[in-house]
Amino acid sequence: MKRLTIQRALALTAAALLVATPVLVRTQASAAAEMSEGVLCDTDPNQTFSLTARDGYISTPDGNSIYMWSYSNSKRGFQLPGPTLCVESGRQVTVILHNSLPEATSIVFPGQQGVKANGNPAQPQFDSGGSLTSLVQTAAATDGSVTYTFTAGSPGSYLYETGTDVDKQLQMGLYGALVVRPAGHPNQVNDRADSAFANGKEYVYLLSEVDPDVHLAVERNQPVDVNASKSRYFMINGRSMPDTLAPNNAPWLPGQPYGALVHIKPYDAVTNPLPATIHYLNAGSVNYPFHPHGSDERVINRDGHALQGGSGEDLSYLKYDLDVGPGQTLDVLMDWRDVEHWNATTNPIPTQLPAITDQLLVGSDTWFSESGYLGTKNAVPSNLTQNNECGEYYHIAHSHALEQATNYGAAFGGMMTVFRIDPPAGCVSQ
Amino acid sequence: MLEATIGRPNGRAGGINRLVVLSAVLATALVVGLLVGLKLWSSPGDPGSFPSSVQIEQQYGVRFSRIAVVGDGGLITLTYVVLDSEKATRFQSDVGHPPELRSEARDGGTKRVSVMKQGHSLRAGQTYYLVYQNTKGALRHGERATIQLGDLALRHAPVL
């Protein structure tokens, strides 16, 4: 009897575990999938999005907590910036805005034509005295709503942002990215075939700034003097360095879901022929001269329009410092090319390798793997396991207005991240 | 006798026993699943569970607050809160002796540290950070690590 009972019990236990295991595995797999890199799009088959303007808090790397306003998917909680809306060119887009903020707000869609609000042409609003109150119809304070519709314009990236009390509400965080894809070509930036990018290698860099004094005043319902504003935090996708290096949906940044790490392999005509694409958008009030070290980037779109002549000639250009003006967007292609083909055996670098990289940041060996060769590591000190994961490269990318590369004045921080370049065969820990 | 009784599939007692066994096994599986789930949820991602060391705080003037694997697995950020500005400034300036991060699950560690820039007047109450190269994937999400700082060690720190 005991044997039979034990066998049954074992069988039942096994069955129960078979039932339970996928649940656990799925939980872990889901968590892993959510911890990802690259753009996270909100999409919808009907291109209809429900956004809620709401308040919440973000954290900064120096330990500060900032009160913010932002748009969020109505089914999710607060996030900064607003959801990245990815749509297809030429199709109707519907954005339903619900407002839970204590004052009226709205959304304008710069670059989109024929925008309607509740079925009427979107247009500026004035009070009874003739003063401008909003650039577009609003959703009333606390519980109002308004529905915007438009036909998605030319492929590229665009801001969507508040059109109401813009100086204050934009500073408070009411902005997001709209990525318009070419119909039938989701892996192209625009309608040109030469704008194709590698699958999964698409990144949004939504650049912005925060003056904590303005946010504290709004939180305390005190008057706001935007003319006296001085921003102290500068962000990529609502995060500052080093949080920009963290993956999407990092659990310690619950209201800041978007990372800013570019992760690619070197260009290869056969195995890796397509570049990555980065959409730069400036939701702030000043220029952000964004400066990726290591390689130029090819600017192919500005403000959602392909850089080409009347006959379709290519007017794109390589740029080392990307000046992204307020309200402007730039779409670029970027790759990393092993131009010199340095090889420790067959083509050694004809100079003594430095003991440092191009920046002496902390110590004499920072950001250096003891080897200048991608994917190669030299002998390591005995107290180290290895120099880095697999001999990969990291290139700093940051705003070259250096006060924007700080966390409230403390370098290095702010509008800064890294581009990671893995060896051609991928990163295998050695 | 009992064995024979239970062995009969049409026996009432056998059916009840099977139900009891089935219920017990499923209940056990449920409890185990919940415990595992709670374990997964509560550690090491719970920021409240980060350990502290009075000795480290007194000697170095800092309280470590987070270890996170970032950079798609290639980098690690170590954040700390400044408690004593003078001690913390000395800690940050001693670039030859950065804290070493060691996995508690396997051999391996890293002390290859970079950023942030030295020379700040570190303010009490403010958070600062170090970035490490994640040497050979020395640390991984979801495990515990030891922060070794001279002769002092802060053990069982969760790795996010």
Side-chain angles (χ1 to χ4, degrees), chain A residues 116-129:
Chain A
K116 292 186 175 180
N118 291 336
N120 301 308
Q123 56 191 358
Q125 305 294 297
F126 302 90
D127 63 18
S128 57

PDB file of all heavy atoms in Angstrom, chain A residues 116-129:
ATOM      1  N   LYS A 116      -7.284  66.995 -35.838  1.00  0.00           N
ATOM      2  CA  LYS A 116      -8.603  67.380 -35.335  1.00  0.00           C
ATOM      3  C   LYS A 116      -8.702  67.066 -33.853  1.00  0.00           C
ATOM      4  O   LYS A 116      -8.066  66.127 -33.361  1.00  0.00           O
ATOM      5  CB  LYS A 116      -9.714  66.644 -36.098  1.00  0.00           C
ATOM      6  CG  LYS A 116      -9.831  67.081 -37.562  1.00  0.00           C
ATOM      7  CD  LYS A 116     -11.026  66.449 -38.245  1.00  0.00           C
ATOM      8  CE  LYS A 116     -11.170  67.017 -39.669  1.00  0.00           C
ATOM      9  NZ  LYS A 116     -12.327  66.418 -40.370  1.00  0.00           N
ATOM     10  N   ALA A 117      -9.498  67.893 -33.181  1.00  0.00           N
ATOM     11  CA  ALA A 117      -9.759  67.690 -31.758  1.00  0.00           C
ATOM     12  C   ALA A 117     -11.258  67.538 -31.579  1.00  0.00           C
ATOM     13  O   ALA A 117     -12.017  68.456 -31.924  1.00  0.00           O
ATOM     14  CB  ALA A 117      -9.246  68.867 -30.939  1.00  0.00           C
ATOM     15  N   ASN A 118     -11.671  66.387 -31.095  1.00  0.00           N
ATOM     16  CA  ASN A 118     -13.096  66.066 -30.989  1.00  0.00           C
ATOM     17  C   ASN A 118     -13.813  66.325 -32.309  1.00  0.00           C
ATOM     18  O   ASN A 118     -14.948  66.822 -32.352  1.00  0.00           O
ATOM     19  CB  ASN A 118     -13.753  66.871 -29.859  1.00  0.00           C
ATOM     20  CG  ASN A 118     -13.282  66.423 -28.483  1.00  0.00           C
ATOM     21  OD1 ASN A 118     -12.847  65.285 -28.312  1.00  0.00           O
ATOM     22  ND2 ASN A 118     -13.349  67.314 -27.511  1.00  0.00           N
ATOM     23  N   GLY A 119     -13.162  66.038 -33.396  1.00  0.00           N
ATOM     24  CA  GLY A 119     -13.767  66.149 -34.721  1.00  0.00           C
ATOM     25  C   GLY A 119     -13.665  67.511 -35.359  1.00  0.00           C
ATOM     26  O   GLY A 119     -13.994  67.673 -36.539  1.00  0.00           O
ATOM     27  N   ASN A 120     -13.200  68.489 -34.621  1.00  0.00           N
ATOM     28  CA  ASN A 120     -13.043  69.843 -35.157  1.00  0.00           C
ATOM     29  C   ASN A 120     -11.570  70.133 -35.410  1.00  0.00           C
ATOM     30  O   ASN A 120     -10.693  69.545 -34.770  1.00  0.00           O
ATOM     31  CB  ASN A 120     -13.603  70.870 -34.162  1.00  0.00           C
ATOM     32  CG  ASN A 120     -15.066  70.633 -33.861  1.00  0.00           C
ATOM     33  OD1 ASN A 120     -15.880  70.520 -34.771  1.00  0.00           O
ATOM     34  ND2 ASN A 120     -15.392  70.534 -32.576  1.00  0.00           N
ATOM     35  N   PRO A 121     -11.299  71.036 -36.332  1.00  0.00           N
ATOM     36  CA  PRO A 121      -9.898  71.367 -36.571  1.00  0.00           C
ATOM     37  C   PRO A 121      -9.200  71.796 -35.288  1.00  0.00           C
ATOM     38  O   PRO A 121      -9.737  72.613 -34.533  1.00  0.00           O
ATOM     39  CB  PRO A 121      -9.975  72.530 -37.579  1.00  0.00           C
ATOM     40  CG  PRO A 121     -11.280  72.336 -38.270  1.00  0.00           C
ATOM     41  CD  PRO A 121     -12.213  71.773 -37.233  1.00  0.00           C
ATOM     42  N   ALA A 122      -8.043  71.235 -35.041  1.00  0.00           N
ATOM     43  CA  ALA A 122      -7.268  71.641 -33.870  1.00  0.00           C
ATOM     44  C   ALA A 122      -6.765  73.057 -34.090  1.00  0.00           C
ATOM     45  O   ALA A 122      -6.148  73.352 -35.124  1.00  0.00           O
ATOM     46  CB  ALA A 122      -6.101  70.679 -33.671  1.00  0.00           C
ATOM     47  N   GLN A 123      -7.011  73.922 -33.144  1.00  0.00           N
ATOM     48  CA  GLN A 123      -6.635  75.313 -33.327  1.00  0.00           C
ATOM     49  C   GLN A 123      -6.455  75.991 -31.981  1.00  0.00           C
ATOM     50  O   GLN A 123      -6.933  75.501 -30.950  1.00  0.00           O
ATOM     51  CB  GLN A 123      -7.699  76.047 -34.140  1.00  0.00           C
ATOM     52  CG  GLN A 123      -9.089  75.979 -33.567  1.00  0.00           C
ATOM     53  CD  GLN A 123     -10.130  76.498 -34.544  1.00  0.00           C
ATOM     54  OE1 GLN A 123      -9.818  76.939 -35.647  1.00  0.00           O
ATOM     55  NE2 GLN A 123     -11.379  76.474 -34.135  1.00  0.00           N
ATOM     56  N   PRO A 124      -5.789  77.156 -31.978  1.00  0.00           N
ATOM     57  CA  PRO A 124      -5.546  77.859 -30.714  1.00  0.00           C
ATOM     58  C   PRO A 124      -6.841  78.245 -30.017  1.00  0.00           C
ATOM     59  O   PRO A 124      -7.864  78.500 -30.651  1.00  0.00           O
ATOM     60  CB  PRO A 124      -4.740  79.088 -31.146  1.00  0.00           C
ATOM     61  CG  PRO A 124      -4.114  78.703 -32.441  1.00  0.00           C
ATOM     62  CD  PRO A 124      -5.100  77.793 -33.105  1.00  0.00           C
ATOM     63  N   GLN A 125      -6.739  78.320 -28.706  1.00  0.00           N
ATOM     64  CA  GLN A 125      -7.885  78.662 -27.868  1.00  0.00           C
ATOM     65  C   GLN A 125      -7.608  79.994 -27.163  1.00  0.00           C
ATOM     66  O   GLN A 125      -6.471  80.278 -26.778  1.00  0.00           O
ATOM     67  CB  GLN A 125      -8.118  77.570 -26.825  1.00  0.00           C
ATOM     68  CG  GLN A 125      -8.285  76.180 -27.413  1.00  0.00           C
ATOM     69  CD  GLN A 125      -9.546  76.048 -28.246  1.00  0.00           C
ATOM     70  OE1 GLN A 125     -10.655  76.192 -27.725  1.00  0.00           O
ATOM     71  NE2 GLN A 125      -9.386  75.796 -29.544  1.00  0.00           N
ATOM     72  N   PHE A 126      -8.655  80.786 -27.018  1.00  0.00           N
ATOM     73  CA  PHE A 126      -8.517  82.109 -26.402  1.00  0.00           C
ATOM     74  C   PHE A 126      -9.580  82.282 -25.317  1.00  0.00           C
ATOM     75  O   PHE A 126     -10.665  81.694 -25.408  1.00  0.00           O
ATOM     76  CB  PHE A 126      -8.687  83.214 -27.455  1.00  0.00           C
ATOM     77  CG  PHE A 126      -7.698  83.112 -28.589  1.00  0.00           C
ATOM     78  CD1 PHE A 126      -7.989  82.366 -29.729  1.00  0.00           C
ATOM     79  CD2 PHE A 126      -6.471  83.751 -28.511  1.00  0.00           C
ATOM     80  CE1 PHE A 126      -7.083  82.264 -30.766  1.00  0.00           C
ATOM     81  CE2 PHE A 126      -5.553  83.652 -29.545  1.00  0.00           C
ATOM     82  CZ  PHE A 126      -5.858  82.909 -30.684  1.00  0.00           C
ATOM     83  N   ASP A 127      -9.250  83.080 -24.335  1.00  0.00           N
ATOM     84  CA  ASP A 127     -10.264  83.370 -23.322  1.00  0.00           C
ATOM     85  C   ASP A 127     -11.147  84.512 -23.796  1.00  0.00           C
ATOM     86  O   ASP A 127     -10.958  85.058 -24.907  1.00  0.00           O
ATOM     87  CB  ASP A 127      -9.622  83.663 -21.964  1.00  0.00           C
ATOM     88  CG  ASP A 127      -8.735  84.903 -21.981  1.00  0.00           C
ATOM     89  OD1 ASP A 127      -8.865  85.725 -22.920  1.00  0.00           O
ATOM     90  OD2 ASP A 127      -7.911  85.059 -21.062  1.00  0.00           O
ATOM     91  N   SER A 128     -12.075  84.929 -22.964  1.00  0.00           N
ATOM     92  CA  SER A 128     -13.044  85.942 -23.376  1.00  0.00           C
ATOM     93  C   SER A 128     -12.390  87.290 -23.642  1.00  0.00           C
ATOM     94  O   SER A 128     -12.921  88.121 -24.370  1.00  0.00           O
ATOM     95  CB  SER A 128     -14.128  86.103 -22.297  1.00  0.00           C
ATOM     96  OG  SER A 128     -13.520  86.425 -21.058  1.00  0.00           O
ATOM     97  N   GLY A 129     -11.206  87.475 -23.047  1.00  0.00           N
ATOM     98  CA  GLY A 129     -10.487  88.727 -23.279  1.00  0.00           C
ATOM     99  C   GLY A 129      -9.577  88.680 -24.485  1.00  0.00           C
ATOM    100  O   GLY A 129      -8.867  89.654 -24.769  1.00  0.00           O
TER     101      GLY A 129
END
